[in-house]
Amino acid sequence: MKKRIVYGVLIVVTLVFVLLFVFSNNNFKKFETLQEAIEKGIPYQVNNIVHTDKYEDVTIVMYTTNPEEPPIANYEALAVAFFKGSDEEGWQNIGHHGWTHYENDNMTVYLEPLRINDDKGNTLNEFYVVFGEVNNPEIEKIETSTQEDEKFNEAKMITANGNRYYFQIGREPIVRGLSKNGTVIDRQGG
Protein backbone atom coordinates (compact mmCIF):
# COMPACT_ATOMS: atom_id res chain seq x y z
CA MET A 1 0.00 0.00 0.00
CA LYS A 2 2.79 2.45 0.91
CA LYS A 3 4.60 1.63 -2.35
CA ARG A 4 1.50 2.58 -4.36
CA ILE A 5 1.28 5.93 -2.59
CA VAL A 6 4.99 6.62 -3.12
CA TYR A 7 4.73 5.69 -6.83
CA GLY A 8 1.61 7.81 -7.19
CA VAL A 9 3.30 10.83 -5.61
CA LEU A 10 6.37 10.34 -7.85
CA ILE A 11 4.20 10.21 -10.96
CA VAL A 12 2.28 13.35 -9.97
CA VAL A 13 5.50 15.26 -9.15
CA THR A 14 7.05 14.16 -12.45
CA LEU A 15 3.98 15.26 -14.40
CA VAL A 16 4.00 18.65 -12.66
CA PHE A 17 7.65 19.21 -13.58
CA VAL A 18 7.05 18.14 -17.18
CA LEU A 19 4.07 20.47 -17.50
CA LEU A 20 5.96 23.36 -15.92
CA PHE A 21 8.85 22.82 -18.34
CA VAL A 22 6.61 22.52 -21.42
CA PHE A 23 4.42 25.51 -20.64
CA SER A 24 7.00 27.85 -19.14
CA ASN A 25 8.63 30.63 -21.13
CA ASN A 26 12.13 29.30 -20.54
CA ASN A 27 15.47 30.13 -22.09
CA PHE A 28 15.95 26.54 -23.25
CA LYS A 29 13.46 26.92 -26.07
CA LYS A 30 14.81 27.22 -29.59
CA PHE A 31 13.27 29.47 -32.20
CA GLU A 32 13.40 29.09 -35.99
CA THR A 33 14.69 32.58 -36.78
CA LEU A 34 16.52 35.33 -34.93
CA GLN A 35 13.48 37.57 -35.38
CA GLU A 36 11.25 34.97 -33.70
CA ALA A 37 13.81 34.59 -30.89
CA ILE A 38 13.75 38.37 -30.36
CA GLU A 39 9.94 38.51 -30.39
CA LYS A 40 9.35 35.49 -28.14
CA GLY A 41 12.62 35.11 -26.22
CA ILE A 42 12.90 38.61 -24.77
CA PRO A 43 10.39 39.04 -21.92
CA TYR A 44 9.88 42.74 -22.69
CA GLN A 45 8.11 44.40 -25.60
CA VAL A 46 10.88 45.34 -28.04
CA ASN A 47 10.17 48.81 -29.44
CA ASN A 48 13.16 49.10 -31.76
CA ILE A 49 16.19 47.04 -32.57
CA VAL A 50 19.00 49.56 -32.39
CA HIS A 51 21.91 47.33 -33.36
CA THR A 52 22.94 43.70 -33.81
CA ASP A 53 26.52 42.48 -33.63
CA LYS A 54 28.20 39.10 -33.63
CA TYR A 55 31.01 38.31 -31.21
CA GLU A 56 32.52 34.83 -31.12
CA ASP A 57 29.44 32.63 -31.62
CA VAL A 58 27.01 35.01 -29.89
CA THR A 59 24.66 37.48 -31.58
CA ILE A 60 24.11 40.58 -29.44
CA VAL A 61 20.92 42.58 -29.94
CA MET A 62 20.70 46.12 -28.54
CA TYR A 63 17.08 47.27 -28.29
CA THR A 64 14.73 49.75 -26.64
CA THR A 65 11.74 48.87 -24.50
CA ASN A 66 9.13 50.67 -22.41
CA PRO A 67 9.23 49.53 -18.80
CA GLU A 68 5.91 47.94 -17.95
CA GLU A 69 6.69 46.77 -14.45
CA PRO A 70 5.87 49.07 -11.54
CA PRO A 71 6.71 51.80 -11.39
CA ILE A 72 5.55 52.34 -14.96
CA ALA A 73 7.93 54.85 -16.47
CA ASN A 74 7.65 57.56 -19.05
CA TYR A 75 10.83 56.70 -20.97
CA GLU A 76 12.39 54.07 -23.18
CA ALA A 77 15.00 51.83 -21.57
CA LEU A 78 18.00 50.57 -23.52
CA ALA A 79 18.99 46.91 -23.13
CA VAL A 80 20.91 44.07 -24.76
CA ALA A 81 20.02 40.42 -25.32
CA PHE A 82 22.33 37.54 -26.21
CA PHE A 83 21.48 34.76 -28.68
CA LYS A 84 23.22 31.69 -30.07
CA GLY A 85 22.28 29.75 -33.14
CA SER A 86 21.39 29.95 -36.78
CA ASP A 87 18.30 29.65 -38.96
CA GLU A 88 19.35 26.05 -39.76
CA GLU A 89 19.88 24.92 -36.14
CA GLY A 90 17.49 27.29 -34.37
CA TRP A 91 18.09 30.27 -32.08
CA GLN A 92 18.30 30.29 -28.31
CA ASN A 93 18.32 33.23 -25.89
CA ILE A 94 21.33 32.56 -23.67
CA GLY A 95 21.51 35.70 -21.54
CA HIS A 96 19.75 37.04 -18.52
CA HIS A 97 17.06 39.68 -18.87
CA GLY A 98 16.96 43.10 -17.39
CA TRP A 99 17.55 46.74 -17.99
CA THR A 100 18.56 49.82 -16.08
CA HIS A 101 17.91 53.45 -16.86
CA TYR A 102 19.08 56.85 -15.77
CA GLU A 103 18.91 60.32 -17.27
CA ASN A 104 21.97 62.25 -18.45
CA ASP A 105 22.08 65.25 -20.78
CA ASN A 106 25.34 64.09 -22.37
CA MET A 107 25.30 60.28 -22.58
CA THR A 108 24.42 57.13 -20.66
CA VAL A 109 26.75 54.25 -19.83
CA TYR A 110 25.68 50.63 -19.34
CA LEU A 111 27.99 47.64 -18.87
CA GLU A 112 26.41 44.22 -19.40
CA PRO A 113 28.28 40.93 -18.85
CA LEU A 114 27.66 37.56 -20.45
CA ARG A 115 29.06 34.50 -18.68
CA ILE A 116 28.05 31.06 -19.89
CA ASN A 117 29.52 27.87 -18.41
CA ASP A 118 28.87 24.26 -19.30
CA ASP A 119 27.63 21.80 -16.68
CA LYS A 120 31.25 21.00 -15.72
CA GLY A 121 32.04 24.64 -14.97
CA ASN A 122 34.07 25.28 -18.12
CA THR A 123 33.64 28.77 -19.53
CA LEU A 124 31.94 28.77 -22.93
CA ASN A 125 31.49 32.53 -23.30
CA GLU A 126 32.65 35.42 -21.16
CA PHE A 127 32.68 39.02 -22.31
CA TYR A 128 31.20 42.42 -21.60
CA VAL A 129 29.27 44.91 -23.70
CA VAL A 130 29.52 48.65 -23.02
CA PHE A 131 26.69 50.63 -24.59
CA GLY A 132 24.56 53.70 -24.17
CA GLU A 133 22.71 56.62 -25.72
CA VAL A 134 24.42 59.84 -26.83
CA ASN A 135 22.18 62.81 -25.98
CA ASN A 136 24.50 65.79 -26.46
CA PRO A 137 24.73 66.77 -30.16
CA GLU A 138 28.24 68.15 -29.57
CA ILE A 139 29.53 64.64 -28.79
CA GLU A 140 30.86 63.22 -32.05
CA LYS A 141 32.95 60.32 -30.78
CA ILE A 142 32.78 57.89 -27.86
CA GLU A 143 35.85 56.19 -26.42
CA THR A 144 36.11 53.49 -23.76
CA SER A 145 38.92 52.26 -21.49
CA THR A 146 39.70 50.21 -18.42
CA GLN A 147 41.09 51.50 -15.13
CA GLU A 148 44.34 49.65 -15.78
CA ASP A 149 44.79 50.91 -19.36
CA GLU A 150 45.71 54.45 -20.30
CA LYS A 151 44.67 53.92 -23.92
CA PHE A 152 41.13 54.65 -25.04
CA ASN A 153 39.39 52.63 -27.77
CA GLU A 154 36.87 54.19 -30.13
CA ALA A 155 33.37 52.74 -29.77
CA LYS A 156 31.03 52.11 -32.67
CA MET A 157 28.57 55.00 -33.12
CA ILE A 158 25.08 54.05 -34.26
CA THR A 159 22.19 56.19 -35.46
CA ALA A 160 18.77 54.53 -35.23
CA ASN A 161 15.27 55.98 -35.23
CA GLY A 162 16.56 59.53 -34.90
CA ASN A 163 18.72 58.77 -31.83
CA ARG A 164 22.44 58.20 -31.42
CA TYR A 165 23.96 55.29 -29.54
CA TYR A 166 27.34 53.65 -29.05
CA PHE A 167 28.40 50.03 -28.69
CA GLN A 168 31.67 48.41 -27.63
CA ILE A 169 32.64 44.87 -26.68
CA GLY A 170 35.02 44.72 -23.73
CA ARG A 171 35.14 45.32 -20.00
CA GLU A 172 35.82 49.01 -20.39
CA PRO A 173 33.71 50.90 -17.85
CA ILE A 174 35.41 54.26 -18.41
CA VAL A 175 33.55 56.06 -21.18
CA ARG A 176 34.15 59.53 -22.51
CA GLY A 177 32.33 61.62 -25.09
CA LEU A 178 34.47 63.82 -27.30
CA SER A 179 33.68 66.86 -29.44
CA LYS A 180 34.71 67.15 -33.08
CA ASN A 181 38.04 68.74 -32.07
CA GLY A 182 38.76 66.09 -29.37
CA THR A 183 37.68 68.01 -26.28
CA VAL A 184 36.26 65.75 -23.54
CA ILE A 185 32.63 66.81 -22.99
CA ASP A 186 31.73 64.07 -20.52
CA ARG A 187 33.55 61.20 -18.79
CA GLN A 188 31.85 58.55 -16.72
CA GLY A 189 33.13 55.52 -14.82
CA GLY A 190 36.47 54.80 -13.21
Side-chain angles (χ1 to χ4, degrees), residues 101-109 133-139 142 164 185-186 188:
H101 178 80
Y102 69 97
E103 297 291 329
N104 187 295
D105 291 336
N106 291 316
M107 63 186 187
T108 58
V109 178
E133 186 172 3
V134 180
N135 298 314
N136 186 332
E138 292 182 21
I139 294 176
I142 298 289
R164 295 184 312 139
I185 295 174
D186 192 6
Q188 298 180 41

Side-chain angles (χ1 to χ4, degrees), residues 4-47:
R4 280 188 180 171
I5 293 173
V6 169
Y7 287 131
V9 168
L10 285 174
I11 290 172
V12 168
V13 168
T14 302
L15 281 172
V16 167
F17 278 114
V18 168
L19 290 173
L20 284 173
F21 182 79
V22 169
F23 292 109
S24 68
N25 185 12
N26 58 55
N27 282 349
F28 304 111
K29 186 172 181 176
K30 286 207 173 187
F31 302 98
E32 289 185 25
T33 65
L34 178 59
Q35 184 62 38
E36 181 185 13
I38 291 168
E39 290 171 3
K40 295 179 180 177
I42 297 175
Y44 307 110
Q45 176 65 43
V46 175
N47 292 342

